[in-house]
Amino acid sequence: MYISNVTVEHAQIMQDSKSSYRSIFKATSLFGGVQVYQILIQIIKSKIIAVLLGPAGVGVIGLFQSGLDLVKNLTSMGLASSAVRDVSEANGSRDSQKISKTVTVARRLVWITGMLGLTVVAVTSPLLSKSAFGNYDYTIPFIFLSIILLLDQLSAGQKVILQGLRRLKDLARCSAIGVTVGLIVSIPFYYWMGIEGIAPTLILTSACSLLVSWWYSRKMKIGKVDISVKETFIHGRQMLVMGVSMSLSGIFATAVAYITRGYIQSAGGVEEVGLYQAGFAIMTTYVGLVMNAIATDYYPRLASINNDNEKCRQTVCQQGEIGTMILAPLLTICLVFMPFVLKILYSDEFIAANQYISWACLGMLLRLGSWVIGFLFIAKAESKLYIVNELCANVYFLLLYIIGYKYWGLCGIGAAFALAYAIYFIQVYFVARKRYEFTFSREFTVCYGSQIALVVGCLILVLFTDGLLKYSVGCLFILLSIFFGIRDLNKRMDILGMLKQKLNNR
């Protein structure tokens, strides 16, 4: 009888584990698809704007956007990220009263911060015009554009609620439809009005995004709660503190990127900056979309169980495994075929960025490992720990970048990127181990270790060989990475069983 009970319990655990892996994989696939779609729409939109408005129009949009983004980063208080944690935690409690109160507080705070952003832009519009364009001619357009900060903040608030309450399909539809409507709306205005249509088009695009997010969030039945302004700030204090910490982390990273580009420009010239920027864009935009897709589901899921260290450990390891199985094969493909990718996306002149990107591929896999652990600090609202951790990391990231470029050029800065994330990985692991008794599971260690070995092998191949040897052996590494990824996915999710079941049902 005892043996039978143990067997049943083990079977149930295995079934729950498979269900968890399937849920993670589905969410990652869903938002990965959305990320790809958004990038394609952005490419199309950029091309249309370039044709209709020319370089001058693109420049005006960029200057408007940079001014608005500056104020937005200072006034939004990071609520688009931090509020997800509180809504997710409330949702995990299954307490309808707590959910209603948290959602009400989040909605009020986005209104307050949105109005703050609007006011700051309107008041400082002469300064924004002068700093961006060198004159005061764009003061009135900036005053009109100030409404964007309110519209965008309200839209972000609606998406926070969708994400926090795990309405993932609605959030995916909202994101995809939002960028599509933005494209459709912008074309006629730019065609008919040219550069004069930039300000009204930016406003209308934000309004459409808000309308789409409202349409999906209105489906959620959230009870009404009467909360005073004082209570709003008392209950929302943790959201604001964590949000400010996350905003500061973003500012640190932006400062490091700015100083790095400035150093490269002074030491190597504008062309070197262009090569670095091209490689950086490929890594963060195209390869980084895997992490962006993961974060959409991972963050609220982790936040909802943040009080249980064992469940957090399981979730971190499972997410790390799925992320590794998806990202590692992509990185091996990038390593072997990046020269062709650079030619397609840019031109032959950008081939010189290949060695930087090759080292950065290893860095991206190390980044994934550290990144899944780092979310623990955010999910647990450890704002002080998080900001100290990020500040320390950004200091040695900058030092390594400067040293790497000074002695080895772009290749050195790529190697510095990989080394910095290796240090960061060790750092966050030991902090999490001491703070939350975190350890990696055997499954994660085997999965991650084997894929790291393949990426390192591929990197060595790319750095020291070329021609037929590079591509033939490189393809072998790619196939091995894909094979291990599919094999490990099948172990955890029984993909073949799912396919057989679907075929039999037909």
Side-chain angles (χ1 to χ4, degrees):
M1 185 67 179
Y2 173 75
I3 295 173
S4 177
N5 287 339
V6 170
T7 305
V8 170
E9 186 178 342
H10 177 71
Q12 184 60 47
I13 291 171
M14 292 297 292
Q15 186 60 39
D16 290 343
S17 178
K18 282 183 182 178
S19 177
S20 179
Y21 280 114
R22 286 174 183 173
S23 175
I24 294 169
F25 184 75
K26 284 179 182 178
T28 304
S29 302
L30 174 65
F31 287 102
V34 171
Q35 289 279 319
V36 170
Y37 180 75
Q38 287 178 317
I39 289 171
L40 289 174
I41 291 293
Q42 188 57 48
I43 291 170
I44 294 168
K45 189 175 181 179
S46 299
K47 183 69 174 180
I48 291 171
I49 291 172
V51 171
L52 295 178
L53 303 185
V58 174
V60 170
I61 292 173
L63 291 170
F64 275 143
Q65 206 66 59
S66 61
L68 294 174
D69 287 345
L70 174 64
V71 177
K72 182 179 178 180
N73 289 335
L74 294 172
T75 61
S76 66
M77 307 296 181
L79 286 172
S81 299
S82 64
V84 173
R85 179 208 169 273
D86 294 80
V87 175
S88 300
E89 186 178 40
N91 188 47
S93 71
R94 307 299 178 191
D95 183 338
S96 58
Q97 183 70 13
K98 186 177 181 180
I99 293 171
S100 299
K101 184 178 287 188
T102 306
V103 169
T104 301
V105 168
R107 282 175 169 165
R108 286 196 183 174
L109 289 177
V110 295
W111 264 103
I112 292 168
T113 51
M115 287 300 298
L116 176 63
L118 182 153
T119 305
V120 171
V121 171
V123 171
T124 62
S125 54
L127 293 174
L128 290 170
S129 177
K130 180 68 175 175
S131 63
F133 296 96
N135 55 55
Y136 297 105
D137 296 347
Y138 292 86
T139 299
I140 299 300
F142 265 115
I143 292 174
F144 282 113
L145 288 170
S146 64
I147 188 68
I148 287 177
L149 272 78
L150 175 60
L151 297 174
D152 285 354
Q153 190 71 342
L154 293 177
S155 180
Q158 304 288 14
K159 290 176 182 177
V160 159
I161 296 164
L162 287 170
Q163 188 177 357
L165 297 181
R166 305 292 302 282
R167 300 290 293 265
L168 301 182
K169 288 184 179 179
D170 284 343
L171 180 59
R173 293 188 189 105
C174 177
S175 301
I177 293 172
V179 295
T180 306
V181 171
L183 173 65
I184 295 169
V185 164
S186 63
I187 295 172
F189 276 84
Y190 289 138
Y191 179 77
W192 288 323
M193 300 177 68
I195 292 178
E196 296 297 321
I198 289 174
T201 302
L202 292 175
I203 294 170
L204 190 57
T205 300
S206 291
C208 290
S209 179
L210 174 58
L211 185 63
V212 173
S213 64
W214 169 81
W215 178 263
Y216 281 100
S217 66
R218 73 184 178 86
K219 298 177 182 179
M220 297 178 293
K221 305 300 179 185
I222 307 295
K224 292 185 178 180
V225 180
D226 291 326
I227 303 178
S228 66
V229 175
K230 183 179 178 181
E231 288 177 313
T232 298
F233 281 104
I234 290 171
H235 289 293
R237 181 180 174 277
Q238 188 169 263
M239 283 186 208
L240 293 170
V241 170
M242 195 67 230
V244 169
S245 298
M246 295 175 79
S247 294
L248 284 173
S249 172
I251 291 170
F252 294 156
T254 302
V256 168
Y258 181 78
I259 295 169
T260 301
R261 289 187 182 93
Y263 180 77
I264 294 172
Q265 195 276 333
S266 64
V270 177
E271 287 189 5
E272 287 280 284
V273 177
L275 294 171
Y276 168 74
Q277 183 59 33
F280 184 81
I282 289 172
M283 286 294 101
T284 56
T285 304
Y286 301 108
V287 178
L289 68 84
V290 174
M291 295 186 193
N292 293 333
I294 288 170
T296 309
D297 170 62
Y298 175 52
Y299 178 28
R301 189 156 37 83
L302 192 63
S304 67
I305 55 170
N306 72 83
N307 293 317
D308 189 325
N309 284 342
E310 180 55 30
K311 284 185 178 179
C312 283
R313 189 188 78 86
Q314 291 174 2
T315 301
V316 170
C317 292
Q318 288 176 346
Q319 187 66 74
E321 290 165 45
I322 295 293
T324 301
M325 294 170 207
I326 295 171
L327 184 60
L330 292 176
L331 292 173
T332 56
I333 293 169
C334 283
L335 277 162
V336 176
F337 294 106
M338 186 49 64
F340 298 105
V341 175
L342 286 166
K343 285 181 182 180
I344 293 168
L345 292 177
Y346 297 98
S347 68
D348 289 345
E349 294 177 313
F350 287 84
I351 298 297
N354 186 48
Q355 283 200 327
Y356 160 71
I357 295 173
S358 296
W359 278 103
C361 283
L362 174 59
M364 288 300 287
L365 193 53
L366 292 166
R367 181 184 179 187
L368 173 69
S370 58
W371 182 83
V372 291
I373 304 171
F375 262 100
L376 275 172
F377 309 146
I378 305 172
K380 290 178 175 289
E382 295 259 29
S383 54
K384 289 181 182 178
L385 174 62
Y386 175 74
I387 203 68
V388 169
N389 184 68
E390 293 303 303
L391 178 60
C392 291
N394 278 286
V395 168
Y396 61 71
F397 265 70
L398 180 60
L399 289 174
L400 288 170
Y401 287 166
I402 291 172
I403 293 168
Y405 186 76
K406 181 178 180 179
Y407 292 102
W408 300 285
L410 285 176
C411 182
I413 207 169
F417 180 84
L419 176 60
Y421 269 111
I423 297 169
Y424 184 63
F425 189 0
I426 295 167
Q427 175 184 318
V428 293
Y429 174 76
F430 280 107
V431 171
R433 183 170 182 173
K434 185 174 182 180
R435 194 87 169 182
Y436 317 121
E437 299 180 343
F438 176 83
T439 56
F440 283 123
S441 65
R442 181 182 174 278
E443 291 79 7
F444 173 83
T445 304
V446 172
C447 172
Y448 191 69
S450 61
Q451 292 288 5
I452 280 277
L454 287 169
V455 170
V456 169
C458 209
L459 173 63
I460 294 169
L461 178 75
V462 168
L463 292 177
F464 296 104
T465 65
D466 202 359
L468 182 61
L469 178 62
K470 169 188 165 182
Y471 291 109
S472 57
V473 179
C475 286
L476 177 62
F477 277 115
I478 292 169
L479 291 173
L480 283 172
S481 183
I482 293 171
F483 170 76
F484 286 139
I486 293 173
R487 184 200 65 180
D488 290 343
L489 272 175
N490 188 56
K491 268 186 190 177
R492 291 157 176 79
M493 295 168 47
D494 190 19
I495 296 174
L496 296 177
M498 289 167 62
L499 289 173
K500 285 179 182 176
Q501 187 176 4
K502 285 189 176 182
L503 290 172
N504 290 333
N505 289 338
R506 287 183 179 180

XYZ file of all heavy atoms in Angstrom, residues 115-163:
374
model
N -0.073 62.208 -15.371
C -0.336 63.649 -15.294
C 0.938 64.416 -14.932
O 1.171 65.536 -15.414
C -1.415 63.932 -14.252
C -2.819 63.532 -14.681
S -3.388 64.387 -16.180
C -3.372 66.097 -15.642
N 1.773 63.811 -14.095
C 3.052 64.432 -13.744
C 3.919 64.593 -14.990
O 4.506 65.659 -15.231
C 3.780 63.580 -12.702
C 5.193 64.050 -12.307
C 5.139 65.424 -11.652
C 5.847 63.032 -11.362
N 4.003 63.526 -15.792
C 4.780 63.577 -17.028
C 4.249 64.625 -17.991
O 5.014 65.395 -18.592
N 2.923 64.653 -18.150
C 2.281 65.648 -19.018
C 2.647 67.064 -18.576
O 3.024 67.918 -19.395
C 0.766 65.447 -18.989
C -0.113 66.347 -19.864
C -1.402 65.625 -20.222
C -0.464 67.671 -19.160
N 2.541 67.318 -17.287
C 2.818 68.652 -16.741
C 4.270 69.051 -16.949
O 4.573 70.183 -17.355
C 2.481 68.697 -15.235
O 1.120 68.289 -15.047
C 2.680 70.092 -14.672
N 5.192 68.127 -16.672
C 6.620 68.422 -16.810
C 6.970 68.770 -18.260
O 7.711 69.726 -18.528
C 7.479 67.237 -16.305
C 8.951 67.450 -16.657
C 7.318 67.070 -14.806
N 6.443 67.986 -19.224
C 6.716 68.270 -20.636
C 6.141 69.622 -21.036
O 6.803 70.429 -21.717
C 6.150 67.158 -21.551
C 6.253 67.570 -23.020
C 6.911 65.864 -21.351
N 4.899 69.887 -20.618
C 4.264 71.163 -20.976
C 5.040 72.352 -20.414
O 5.263 73.351 -21.108
C 2.827 71.182 -20.467
N 5.466 72.243 -19.161
C 6.182 73.347 -18.510
C 7.587 73.534 -19.096
O 8.056 74.669 -19.263
C 6.266 73.110 -16.981
C 7.196 74.119 -16.327
C 4.875 73.198 -16.365
N 8.254 72.432 -19.393
C 9.643 72.514 -19.882
C 9.736 72.480 -21.404
O 10.837 72.315 -21.946
C 10.487 71.364 -19.302
O 9.938 70.102 -19.762
C 10.508 71.391 -17.787
N 8.614 72.623 -22.102
C 8.619 72.527 -23.567
C 9.604 73.497 -24.237
O 10.248 73.117 -25.227
C 7.207 72.720 -24.126
O 6.639 73.927 -23.671
N 9.761 74.742 -23.750
C 10.770 75.614 -24.371
C 12.192 75.041 -24.239
O 12.978 75.087 -25.191
C 10.634 76.930 -23.586
C 9.253 76.909 -23.032
C 8.992 75.471 -22.719
N 12.500 74.478 -23.060
C 13.820 73.884 -22.856
C 14.021 72.644 -23.723
O 15.102 72.423 -24.281
C 13.999 73.510 -21.379
C 14.065 74.671 -20.377
C 14.098 74.129 -18.953
C 15.288 75.539 -20.651
N 12.965 71.832 -23.838
C 13.054 70.628 -24.673
C 13.278 71.009 -26.134
O 14.071 70.377 -26.842
C 11.773 69.789 -24.535
C 11.559 69.087 -23.183
C 10.155 68.498 -23.098
C 12.600 67.991 -22.969
N 12.568 72.045 -26.593
C 12.724 72.513 -27.975
C 14.143 73.031 -28.211
O 14.770 72.705 -29.220
C 11.702 73.613 -28.267
O 11.879 74.124 -29.580
N 14.633 73.837 -27.273
C 15.971 74.417 -27.411
C 17.058 73.350 -27.392
O 17.999 73.364 -28.211
C 16.200 75.420 -26.263
C 17.560 76.099 -26.286
C 17.708 77.037 -27.470
C 19.022 77.806 -27.399
N 19.239 78.634 -28.606
N 16.938 72.384 -26.460
C 17.967 71.340 -26.339
C 17.944 70.371 -27.519
O 18.984 69.874 -27.946
C 17.785 70.571 -25.032
O 16.538 69.905 -25.011
N 16.743 70.099 -28.046
C 16.623 69.126 -29.143
C 16.908 69.746 -30.501
O 17.607 69.153 -31.331
C 15.232 68.500 -29.138
N 16.367 70.956 -30.741
C 16.432 71.550 -32.084
C 17.308 72.805 -32.164
O 17.519 73.350 -33.248
C 15.017 71.890 -32.560
C 14.133 70.694 -32.725
C 13.266 70.308 -31.711
C 14.166 69.939 -33.886
C 12.440 69.191 -31.848
C 13.341 68.829 -34.042
C 12.485 68.450 -33.019
N 17.769 73.284 -31.012
C 18.615 74.469 -31.022
C 17.863 75.774 -31.126
O 18.454 76.840 -31.280
N 16.509 75.715 -31.063
C 15.685 76.926 -31.108
C 14.382 76.661 -30.367
O 14.149 75.554 -29.859
C 15.410 77.343 -32.563
C 14.787 76.220 -33.373
O 13.756 75.653 -33.020
N 15.447 75.847 -34.479
N 13.521 77.677 -30.330
C 12.251 77.543 -29.610
C 11.061 77.297 -30.548
O 9.909 77.407 -30.137
C 11.988 78.811 -28.769
C 13.034 79.040 -27.697
C 14.008 80.022 -27.851
C 13.058 78.253 -26.544
C 14.988 80.234 -26.877
C 14.028 78.455 -25.567
C 14.987 79.438 -25.740
O 15.950 79.630 -24.773
N 11.333 76.974 -31.799
C 10.264 76.819 -32.797
C 9.343 75.634 -32.508
O 8.214 75.592 -33.012
C 10.873 76.644 -34.191
C 11.645 77.875 -34.640
O 11.496 78.933 -33.979
O 12.407 77.778 -35.625
N 9.830 74.679 -31.740
C 9.043 73.459 -31.503
C 8.415 73.430 -30.101
O 8.002 72.373 -29.629
C 9.926 72.227 -31.712
C 10.336 72.020 -33.151
C 11.464 72.652 -33.664
C 9.571 71.235 -34.012
C 11.847 72.485 -34.986
C 9.940 71.054 -35.337
C 11.080 71.690 -35.812
O 11.439 71.520 -37.132
N 8.324 74.603 -29.471
C 7.721 74.677 -28.136
C 6.257 74.242 -28.162
O 5.829 73.419 -27.331
C 7.810 76.113 -27.579
O 9.194 76.477 -27.472
C 7.160 76.204 -26.210
N 5.474 74.771 -29.105
C 4.039 74.425 -29.200
C 3.845 72.939 -29.505
O 3.031 72.274 -28.856
C 3.328 75.305 -30.252
C 3.420 76.783 -29.861
C 1.860 74.886 -30.395
C 2.792 77.109 -28.514
N 4.583 72.371 -30.500
C 4.453 70.923 -30.726
C 4.747 70.091 -29.474
O 4.045 69.110 -29.201
C 5.474 70.642 -31.833
C 5.557 71.912 -32.585
C 5.403 72.998 -31.563
N 5.762 70.482 -28.690
C 6.069 69.739 -27.468
C 4.919 69.840 -26.459
O 4.626 68.879 -25.745
C 7.373 70.240 -26.838
C 8.584 69.445 -27.238
C 9.600 70.036 -27.980
C 8.711 68.104 -26.885
C 10.722 69.306 -28.360
C 9.823 67.372 -27.265
C 10.832 67.969 -28.006
N 4.253 71.009 -26.406
C 3.102 71.164 -25.499
C 1.989 70.198 -25.902
O 1.392 69.522 -25.046
C 2.593 72.622 -25.501
C 3.624 73.539 -24.844
C 1.254 72.729 -24.767
C 3.299 75.019 -24.926
N 1.730 70.114 -27.198
C 0.705 69.168 -27.673
C 1.133 67.719 -27.410
O 0.319 66.880 -27.016
C 0.440 69.365 -29.169
C -0.433 70.540 -29.488
C 0.067 71.634 -30.163
C -1.767 70.552 -29.092
C -0.740 72.735 -30.450
C -2.584 71.639 -29.365
C -2.070 72.742 -30.047
N 2.414 67.454 -27.622
C 2.916 66.082 -27.449
C 2.937 65.635 -25.991
O 3.064 64.442 -25.711
C 4.331 65.968 -28.037
C 4.437 65.986 -29.565
C 5.889 66.117 -29.996
C 3.816 64.742 -30.181
N 2.804 66.578 -25.061
C 2.829 66.208 -23.639
C 1.720 65.219 -23.280
O 1.877 64.402 -22.368
C 2.704 67.459 -22.764
O 1.447 68.087 -22.952
N 0.606 65.237 -24.045
C -0.512 64.317 -23.781
C -0.078 62.867 -23.976
O -0.642 61.941 -23.378
C -1.713 64.646 -24.718
C -2.952 63.837 -24.334
C -1.371 64.375 -26.169
C -3.541 64.209 -23.015
N 0.975 62.645 -24.781
C 1.458 61.284 -25.047
C 1.909 60.608 -23.751
O 1.700 59.407 -23.565
C 2.606 61.308 -26.077
C 2.050 61.622 -27.471
C 3.360 59.981 -26.105
C 3.105 61.740 -28.547
N 2.532 61.374 -22.853
C 3.018 60.771 -21.612
C 1.878 60.255 -20.750
O 2.002 59.211 -20.103
C 3.882 61.767 -20.827
C 5.361 61.711 -21.230
C 5.589 62.456 -22.539
C 6.252 62.265 -20.149
N 0.740 60.953 -20.771
C -0.433 60.466 -20.039
C -1.028 59.251 -20.742
O -1.315 58.229 -20.096
C -1.481 61.573 -19.921
C -2.813 61.168 -19.283
C -2.610 60.664 -17.859
C -3.801 62.336 -19.303
N -1.199 59.336 -22.061
C -1.790 58.228 -22.811
C -0.950 56.953 -22.697
O -1.483 55.861 -22.468
C -1.938 58.619 -24.294
C -2.875 59.793 -24.608
C -2.803 60.147 -26.089
C -4.314 59.463 -24.219
N 0.366 57.101 -22.840
C 1.250 55.931 -22.771
C 1.270 55.324 -21.373
O 1.338 54.098 -21.213
C 2.673 56.314 -23.193
C 2.812 56.498 -24.691
O 1.838 56.211 -25.413
O 3.889 56.929 -25.147
N 1.234 56.167 -20.349
C 1.256 55.658 -18.982
C -0.038 54.926 -18.652
O -0.025 53.874 -17.993
C 1.495 56.813 -17.999
C 1.771 56.394 -16.570
C 3.136 55.736 -16.365
O 3.780 55.280 -17.306
N 3.562 55.674 -15.125
N -1.162 55.445 -19.127
C -2.448 54.764 -18.908
C -2.484 53.434 -19.653
O -2.979 52.430 -19.136
C -3.604 55.650 -19.375
C -3.843 56.941 -18.580
C -4.972 57.754 -19.213
C -4.181 56.627 -17.126
N -1.952 53.433 -20.870
C -1.889 52.191 -21.649
C -0.999 51.167 -20.951
O -1.340 49.978 -20.867
C -1.344 52.494 -23.046
O -1.267 51.329 -23.823
N 0.148 51.620 -20.427
C 1.047 50.727 -19.689
C 0.343 50.155 -18.465
O 0.520 48.982 -18.122
C 2.314 51.480 -19.272
N -0.477 50.980 -17.811
C -1.224 50.517 -16.637
C -2.203 49.405 -16.976
O -2.350 48.431 -16.222
N -2.875 49.538 -18.115
C -3.816 48.489 -18.545
C -3.072 47.186 -18.835
O -3.527 46.095 -18.487
C -4.566 48.933 -19.815
C -5.316 50.250 -19.697
C -6.564 50.165 -18.838
O -6.773 49.200 -18.101
N -7.395 51.179 -18.899
N -1.906 47.305 -19.465
C -1.119 46.109 -19.792
C -0.539 45.465 -18.539
O -0.386 44.245 -18.470
C -0.005 46.471 -20.773
C -0.521 46.822 -22.160
C 0.593 47.269 -23.087
C 0.034 47.650 -24.458
N 1.093 48.154 -25.365
N -0.197 46.289 -17.546
C 0.276 45.764 -16.259
C -0.763 44.839 -15.646
O -0.448 43.757 -15.132
C 0.593 46.929 -15.287
C 0.576 46.460 -13.844
C 1.950 47.534 -15.617
N -2.028 45.267 -15.696
C -3.112 44.472 -15.106
C -3.301 43.172 -15.879
O -3.464 42.098 -15.293
C -4.413 45.301 -15.071
C -4.220 46.512 -14.145
C -5.579 44.456 -14.577
C -5.255 47.579 -14.302
N -3.253 43.251 -17.214
C -3.360 42.036 -18.031
C -2.228 41.068 -17.715
O -2.442 39.864 -17.554
C -3.322 42.401 -19.515
C -4.558 43.074 -20.115
C -4.250 43.570 -21.526
C -5.751 42.122 -20.150
N -1.019 41.592 -17.596
C 0.144 40.743 -17.320
C 0.096 40.182 -15.912
O 0.350 38.999 -15.695
C 1.424 41.561 -17.525
C 2.699 40.726 -17.448
C 3.946 41.549 -17.723
O 3.865 42.741 -18.032
N 5.103 40.928 -17.612
